[in-house]
Amino acid sequence: MEQNFNYHKGKIPGLKGGGVFGAGSENLLIHGDNLFVLPRLKDTFQGTVQCIYIDPPYNTCNEFEHFTDSLSHEEWLAMMEPRLELLWDFLSVSGSIWISIDDEECHYLKVLCDKIWGRDKFVTMIVRQKNDSPRNYKRRKIVHMQDYVLIYAKNPAQCLLREVSVNYLERYFVHDSIRDWIPDSILSKISDDKDTRFFYKIITPSGKELYPPYRRQWSVMQDEFENLYHTNQLWFGVLGDEYPCRKKYIDEVETLPPTSLWTQNMVGTNQEARVELCAFNHNEFFYVPKPEKFMQMILSIATNEGDLVLDAFLGSGTTAAVATKMNRKWIGIEKGSQCEEFCIPRLKAVIAGDSGGISSAVGWQGGSGFKYLYESETER
């Protein structure tokens, strides 16, 4: 639904204007503590955000140039709790919140989110391959190659979660001599009124007899099953005696539901993200950026063009950059010095037609803009 945001006609209490970059934009870049800024945005933006993405400090007990990532476990949870409570009110009825995190706090964070929002609001957890090769192998007995994304929604049954291009899922294709395909189960849940036409015995190619498992039935009737079997449109697993899957031929579909495993070829790596940053800032090093392809995947699933995106831990500005290129509106909040050192230069480059990241994939030629605001210490 098209939103009409008129915040530019008035002032936001506690924030000062720092300039306008580009033209005709409703995007906001805010330098300040999100715990201070979010309450001041609530009256205008409550219930209007389609996708919230945050990449908070992972609490790895490391010291970085632009932020401290070393709190006690209790301090970290105490830091996150009020911010999560505030963010929830910004979500639209069909909106979702995506939180990047790693092993240090992932499971504690999920318990905290369940406590604040309710376990019934949990959608799933994404596993993302973050490195293209093992790193820190001298310091760890088991090398970390992944981090996670927790997804929650105001209404999981009705939230917007779009399918993705089959090209994203190419690694799962089965290549045979005729046509590429992907397995699609022909089992379905039993409805309240059991229909015996979808409950019958089948015989696998290895001669094994199978009925649907407990509380399941076939999704096709027997005559259609036999037609699929005799036309070689079913796959019974490697050994030929598993529950069958229909061969969903790739040339017959354009999109498929996203998976919960995101590999480097699908969404890029942190190393790629650093290369993207170097394109406009050669003199500064940002340790933990996310690649633009990763954010493109999230916004492709969770938003439509024109939707509003909020990132309250903006970091190096990836969310804002990708949202601009994908024609989404955005609000980015960042407390640290990287707001000036990375976000502003990066977003100015995007407006000018930056050719890095996902630009060629989405045909980005430049445009849009943003307003820059900063926290007023005198109004705290």
Side-chain angles (χ1 to χ4, degrees):
M1 180 174 67
E2 185 69 20
Q3 301 284 352
N4 183 23
F5 304 120
N6 292 317
Y7 57 82
H8 60 282
K9 293 184 178 179
K11 293 183 178 180
I12 298 176
L15 300 178
K16 291 185 176 182
V20 177
F21 299 86
S25 173
E26 296 174 315
N27 302 320
L28 283 179
L29 172 63
I30 304 173
H31 187 186
D33 186 336
N34 50 35
L35 193 60
F36 174 83
V37 172
L38 287 170
R40 286 152 180 80
L41 300 178
K42 187 174 178 180
D43 286 348
T44 304
F45 296 102
Q46 182 173 358
T48 65
V49 178
Q50 185 61 39
C51 176
I52 296 174
Y53 171 78
I54 58 173
D55 185 9
Y58 284 5
N59 208 24
T60 58
C61 298
N62 292 318
E63 294 289 335
F64 299 114
E65 180 179 353
H66 295 91
F67 63 94
T68 297
D69 198 21
S70 182
L71 298 173
S72 71
H73 170 68
E74 293 75 15
E75 289 173 328
W76 188 87
L77 291 174
M79 180 273 292
M80 290 297 298
E81 184 167 6
R83 290 164 170 84
L84 295 174
E85 290 173 342
L86 286 167
L87 287 167
W88 192 250
D89 289 335
F90 286 83
L91 276 184
S92 67
V93 174
S94 60
S96 54
I97 180 167
W98 303 58
I99 311 173
S100 282
I101 198 68
D102 76 354
D103 303 75
E104 296 292 338
E105 298 288 358
C106 177
H107 305 292
Y108 299 100
L109 177 61
K110 184 182 185 303
V111 172
L112 178 62
C113 291
D114 289 346
K115 170 192 166 187
I116 298 171
W117 302 329
R119 291 187 67 180
D120 61 323
K121 306 303 183 185
F122 177 66
V123 177
T124 194
M125 181 173 72
I126 302 293
V127 179
R128 180 185 78 98
Q129 181 184 354
K130 64 181 179 180
N131 294 322
D132 51 12
S133 61
R135 308 284 166 135
N136 297 326
Y137 59 88
K138 293 181 179 179
R139 293 197 296 126
R140 294 183 180 272
K141 293 184 177 179
I142 298 179
V143 181
H144 289 180
M145 292 286 287
Q146 83 289 331
D147 55 18
Y148 311 94
V149 183
L150 297 177
I151 307 173
Y152 285 79
K154 273 287 179 76
N155 188 333
Q158 298 180 14
C159 75
L160 174 65
L161 293 173
R162 301 169 60 212
E163 294 190 342
V164 296
S165 166
V166 293
N167 295 329
Y168 279 117
L169 304 177
E170 187 173 4
R171 71 183 302 270
Y172 301 111
F173 293 178
V174 178
H175 304 285
D176 63 24
S177 58
I178 302 174
R179 300 162 73 189
D180 292 346
W181 52 272
I182 195 167
D184 185 25
S185 175
I186 63 167
L187 287 168
S188 62
K189 291 183 178 180
I190 294 177
S191 60
D192 293 337
D193 298 321
K194 182 177 178 180
D195 189 336
T196 57
R197 295 177 301 169
F198 295 91
F199 193 87
Y200 47 86
K201 179 180 71 175
I202 67 170
I203 301 176
T204 71
S206 68
K208 185 177 181 179
E209 295 183 354
L210 289 177
Y211 284 94
Y214 178 66
R215 298 196 62 79
R216 295 291 187 272
Q217 63 185 15
W218 308 120
S219 61
V220 298
M221 289 187 283
Q222 190 165 6
D223 56 349
E224 184 178 354
F225 178 89
E226 291 176 355
N227 178 61
L228 292 171
Y229 182 88
H230 292 299
T231 55
N232 194 31
Q233 295 184 62
L234 294 177
W235 181 63
F236 291 83
V238 176
L239 300 178
D241 61 3
E242 300 175 20
Y243 286 105
C245 290
R246 186 200 298 257
K247 296 179 181 179
K248 178 172 282 190
Y249 295 106
I250 301 305
D251 57 11
E252 294 178 350
V253 296
E254 294 183 359
T255 62
L256 289 169
T259 67
S260 61
L261 174 62
W262 293 3
T263 59
Q264 62 165 324
N265 65 308
M266 295 167 65
V267 294
T269 63
N270 290 356
Q271 290 74 39
E272 290 178 41
R274 294 189 191 111
V275 173
E276 292 170 358
L277 293 186
C278 287
F280 63 86
N281 194 330
H282 298 282
N283 300 319
E284 294 287 341
F285 179 79
F286 193 81
Y287 188 75
V288 284
K290 296 296 187 292
E292 290 196 6
K293 284 170 62 179
F294 168 67
M295 186 52 55
Q296 180 189 19
M297 177 73 98
I298 291 176
L299 297 188
S300 295
I301 295 169
T303 66
N304 292 310
E305 286 195 10
D307 284 342
L308 180 60
V309 178
L310 169 62
D311 187 339
F313 293 86
L314 190 59
S316 63
T318 302
T319 301
V322 173
T324 302
K325 295 177 183 180
M326 294 180 68
N327 195 27
R328 274 69 169 168
K329 299 169 186 174
W330 56 265
I331 300 170
I333 306 169
E334 176 50 54
K335 178 181 179 180
S337 61
Q338 61 264 37
C339 191
E340 283 81 14
E341 295 173 11
F342 285 91
C343 296
I344 290 178
R346 180 177 196 168
L347 294 171
K348 288 171 67 176
V350 170
I351 294 169
D354 142 50
S355 60
I358 65 166
S359 293
S360 60
V362 300
W364 178 248
Q365 299 293 321
S368 189
F370 64 95
K371 301 178 191 301
Y372 175 54
L373 304 175
Y374 61 92
E375 183 180 326
S376 172
E377 291 292 340
T378 60
E379 297 187 42
R380 263 188 171 276

